[in-house]
Amino acid sequence: MNFAAALAIDSRLPESRLEIARMLHRDGKETEALKELDVAEKYAPQNHKVRLLRGQVLLRLGRKEEGQAELAEAKRLFGMVMDKDKARVDEQRVPSPEIGREE
């Protein structure tokens, strides 16, 4: 997928910015990756994937306290996602027909 083309259409796409930041991070271009992640965070502050990569980039840039804070926030947000998923699954759970059956 061409993430740059997607951003040319809509510059607010946090997932496209995240993918561009991943590529930059992989290439060791941390400052550029952080710029992309800052924009992605602006449009998706609750995205745990953005916060996780942002923490990793900050750590690589030597900004230890900020990086650790971002990683902690990513962990908290991921926990919220997991809690929501568990609640959704629990809501949709169908009781076993074996429960309550008398023999």
Side-chain angles (χ1 to χ4, degrees), residues 16-80:
S16 292
R17 293 208 177 266
L18 174 62
E19 292 306 320
I20 290 171
R22 277 191 182 132
M23 289 184 273
L24 291 166
H25 175 62
R26 187 175 48 235
D27 292 342
K29 298 176 181 176
E30 307 304 329
T31 303
E32 295 90 340
L34 185 58
K35 288 177 185 175
E36 291 295 332
L37 291 166
D38 287 345
V39 175
E41 183 184 15
K42 176 182 174 183
Y43 293 112
Q46 302 299 308
N47 186 320
H48 67 277
K49 295 178 283 185
V50 170
R51 304 302 284 265
L52 175 64
L53 184 58
R54 193 167 187 280
Q56 293 169 346
V57 168
L58 286 167
L59 287 175
R60 193 170 287 171
L61 286 170
R63 295 163 61 177
K64 187 176 179 180
E65 286 182 26
E66 288 175 272
Q68 289 175 340
E70 283 295 315
L71 293 176
E73 181 64 7
K75 182 178 179 180
R76 185 187 74 77
L77 291 170
F78 182 70
M80 290 173 55

Side-chain angles (χ1 to χ4, degrees), residues 98-103:
E98 302 297 319
I99 298 174
R101 183 196 287 170
E102 292 183 26
E103 292 191 27

